[in-house]
Amino acid sequence: MAEITAADVMKLRKMTGAGMMDCKKALEETNGDYERAQELIRERGKAIANKRADREASQGVAIARANASNTAAAIFVLNCETDFVAKNADFVKLAERILDAALNAEVKDLDGVRSMILDGKTADELVQNQSGVTGEKMGLGYFKRIDAPTVGCYIHPGSRLASVVGVNKPGASPELLSALAMQIAGMSPVAIDGDSLPEEVRKKEFEIGREQARLEGKPEQILDKIAEGRLAKFIKENTLMGQECIKDNKLTVEQYVSKFDKDLKVTIFDRYGLSE
């Protein structure tokens, strides 16, 4: 059997990111074959993931980044089992590395992220390797990219909630983009404005308002009118432009945007929060 030195173990650790004892054991079992030892560590990462398939990987980080030109931004979620691992610096760095690479490669969806190659490995393989290090189930949970003339993003302290937003004009105010992204994160709008509210949501809220009025004993002939009023209230409170602005509660978000640029329009946004 080949002699396994501390330098050999350190070399494999640098190649895989696995723990010292895991690297030593893998080298011993493969008689010092680095390539096979890497495969063994990767396989054990998969075995851990499969063994814990019934465990819920509901912890993790939700992060957002923009590209260098501020014309694309994305949200990425890397899941794990415990808050302890979610706060680990190596875990967070892995999430940031994957997101940066996905933005640079102009990856469009989560499947694209999974198969993206970093240092000769897919992102899925990198995550499984890290799973072998921590002993926890991990997974790529969510990815959404947006493109616009200017984008902004926000990560709430703790990295459990992130948002991205795009507007219709280049060179938009960073202050405004930051405020919009924070509004989206904090107030969770369902659409940009009433015009962009999905028809099925509009119909559902109208019917809810109508049924509530009927149960309150309101006359049949005014149920539709009451329902329309309640729908209007829903739109104001749940669409981005109609909401009270958290930066200035005397203004709606639409009015706040107009203070910066009357022709500026939000064209797209996204938000993701990890459940508590």
Side-chain angles (χ1 to χ4, degrees), residues 35-54:
E35 186 173 343
R36 177 60 189 138
Q38 286 184 77
E39 291 176 1
L40 192 61
I41 287 172
R42 186 162 60 248
E43 287 167 5
R44 284 175 176 165
K46 290 180 180 179
I48 288 168
N50 291 335
K51 182 179 178 182
R52 293 171 174 259
D54 59 333

Side-chain angles (χ1 to χ4, degrees), residues 230-246:
R230 290 179 176 175
L231 174 60
K233 184 174 186 290
F234 173 86
I235 291 172
K236 176 177 174 55
E237 293 177 349
N238 294 280
T239 63
L240 179 61
M241 291 296 106
Q243 287 178 340
E244 181 181 285
C245 182
I246 60 176

Side-chain angles (χ1 to χ4, degrees), residues 185-198:
M187 300 304 292
S188 189
V190 298
I192 295 170
D193 53 26
D195 291 338
S196 61
L197 187 70

Side-chain angles (χ1 to χ4, degrees), residues 148-257:
T150 314
V151 298
C153 55
Y154 172 77
I155 305 173
H156 192 68
S159 300
R160 296 183 58 85
L161 171 63
S163 62
V164 290
V165 62
V167 297
N168 65 334
K169 296 175 70 174
S173 163
E175 179 187 349
L176 174 59
L177 269 294
S178 176
L180 287 170
M182 189 180 297
Q183 178 84 26
I184 291 160
M187 300 304 292
S188 189
V190 298
I192 295 170
D193 53 26
D195 291 338
S196 61
L197 187 70
E199 188 59 30
E200 61 270 23
V201 176
R202 185 182 294 273
K203 287 180 179 179
K204 179 182 177 182
E205 291 303 322
F206 179 86
E207 290 302 322
I208 289 171
R210 197 178 193 283
E211 181 63 13
Q212 285 176 340
R214 186 185 67 78
L215 292 174
E216 290 166 3
K218 299 296 192 291
E220 182 71 27
Q221 62 271 24
I222 64 169
L223 292 184
D224 285 355
K225 184 176 181 180
I226 293 172
E228 287 288 356
R230 290 179 176 175
L231 174 60
K233 184 174 186 290
F234 173 86
I235 291 172
K236 176 177 174 55
E237 293 177 349
N238 294 280
T239 63
L240 179 61
M241 291 296 106
Q243 287 178 340
E244 181 181 285
C245 182
I246 60 176
K247 282 289 187 178
D248 185 343
N249 60 17
K250 295 179 181 178
L251 302 175
T252 65
V253 173
E254 184 173 22
Q255 291 167 336
Y256 184 77
V257 170

